[in-house]
Amino acid sequence: MKDTPAVPAVVNGTDERRDYRPGYEVVAERILEFIAESRLVPGDRMPTENDLAQQLDTSRAVVREAVKILSARGRIRAHKGRGLFVADDDGMLITSRWGGFFRPVDLDHVFMLFEFRKVQETAAASLAATRATPADLRTIEIAMQQCRHGVVHNQVDEFDQADDDFHTAVATAAHNTFLLSAVRDARRLQRQSSAIGIHGMLVESAKLAVEEHEAIYRAIRDGRPEEAAAATVVHLDRTLEDYRREIQRRLFG
């Protein structure tokens, strides 16, 4: 199985690309099966990537990508210098609620995720425009400024963290616990796509994201709920298009 890519089925001369599954996604499932069969519990140490590659008869590179997926899903924890561990119960809970079926390179799944995000985050932005406290506004503004700093100085990690902080801060400013939980869960799923390199480069889209964040922030700050919701739609639609293009490039060249 070493480095053998998943091949789309051909039916009546037509590629069934919807059935395509990258090798690392299949290996991720096999790692979960290994955890269950070995009766490992949260906090238990797992084999190294090399050991997993040997046990699963695949390459370390494929295992590494599978580990990134499972880390983003909250199923395992990778501690630098210490190794791999089964994740805590909180990560398992979120995965069982939303992420057990999610395929981060499946266009239909990514579309549905962004559709879900649009419903939640437009509502959150609208409510934030009427409920945000001065402290909420300051938190949103700081995250927006850190996103800009990450772009200007080409710091990918800083931008990614600040982007997550911005969306979480907007949801927090809505002062609705259920909305905040939904937004956090959806962004956790989106990080599964980011973990395999789909959205990890600071290009023109990151600069646009900063401008879009600023439009959302201004509308919230000025107490304009309809404009805050509309600016959020523009931002999420444009981000979805970035994901769509990158997924197609990776899968189909």
Side-chain angles (χ1 to χ4, degrees):
M1 172 179 158
K2 291 192 176 182
D3 292 325
T4 301
V7 180
V10 179
V11 179
N12 295 327
T14 302
D15 284 354
E16 295 294 325
R17 296 192 185 273
R18 290 179 187 273
D19 292 333
Y20 175 88
R21 299 196 66 196
Y24 52 77
E25 190 172 294
V26 175
V27 170
E29 289 186 356
R30 295 181 63 196
I31 291 175
L32 292 180
E33 291 173 358
F34 168 82
I35 292 173
E37 292 169 357
S38 302
R39 299 184 183 277
L40 299 179
V41 298
D44 282 353
R45 183 187 294 274
M46 295 175 54
T48 65
E49 290 182 356
N50 277 335
D51 289 340
L52 285 172
Q54 291 178 5
Q55 292 185 44
L56 301 178
D57 191 28
T58 186
S59 70
R60 183 179 178 183
V62 173
V63 169
R64 186 179 299 115
E65 293 303 309
V67 166
K68 289 180 181 179
I69 292 294
L70 293 175
S71 295
R73 288 181 181 177
R75 303 304 298 267
I76 64 176
R77 294 281 182 267
H79 296 286
K80 189 172 182 180
R82 295 178 56 204
L84 303 177
F85 296 82
V86 180
D88 56 31
D89 291 328
D90 287 342
M92 296 290 190
L93 176 61
I94 290 175
T95 299
S96 65
R97 184 166 62 205
W98 298 111
F101 68 93
F102 182 63
R103 296 183 182 179
V105 294
D106 185 312
L107 277 174
D108 286 341
H109 281 216
V110 173
F111 176 81
M112 286 188 288
L113 177 61
F114 272 85
E115 191 173 55
F116 178 76
R117 283 191 62 195
K118 193 184 300 185
V119 171
Q120 308 305 325
E121 295 196 41
T122 53
S126 179
L127 288 173
T130 64
R131 298 178 178 178
T133 66
D136 291 331
L137 291 174
R138 181 57 180 158
T139 301
I140 297 171
E141 183 182 21
I142 289 173
M144 177 186 69
Q145 291 170 346
Q146 288 175 332
C147 277
R148 182 181 295 110
H149 186 273
V151 171
V152 170
H153 296 278
N154 197 34
Q155 296 293 322
V156 176
D157 290 341
E158 180 181 7
F159 173 84
D160 287 344
Q161 181 60 58
D163 180 56
D164 196 49
D165 291 344
F166 177 85
H167 288 272
T168 301
V170 171
T172 300
H175 292 277
N176 184 305
T177 301
F178 297 99
L179 268 179
L180 176 59
S181 178
V183 169
R184 281 175 168 166
D185 285 356
R187 289 193 63 79
R188 187 181 187 115
L189 290 181
Q190 185 177 320
R191 283 196 291 273
Q192 294 178 31
S193 294
S194 301
I196 58 175
I198 284 179
H199 205 57
M201 297 179 292
L202 283 178
V203 291
E204 190 64 29
S205 62
K207 297 178 182 177
L208 291 173
V210 170
E211 297 174 5
E212 291 157 0
H213 285 173
E214 186 170 356
I216 295 169
Y217 166 71
R218 286 199 306 265
I220 293 173
R221 179 197 62 191
D222 297 342
R224 301 194 300 266
E226 292 184 1
E227 291 186 26
T232 301
V233 169
V234 169
H235 177 50
L236 293 179
D237 282 348
R238 200 269 311 156
T239 306
L240 172 59
E241 181 60 20
D242 287 345
Y243 271 73
R244 185 191 65 77
R245 285 197 302 265
E246 183 62 14
I247 289 172
Q248 288 185 327
R249 183 188 69 79
R250 287 171 65 90
L251 292 185
F252 310 129

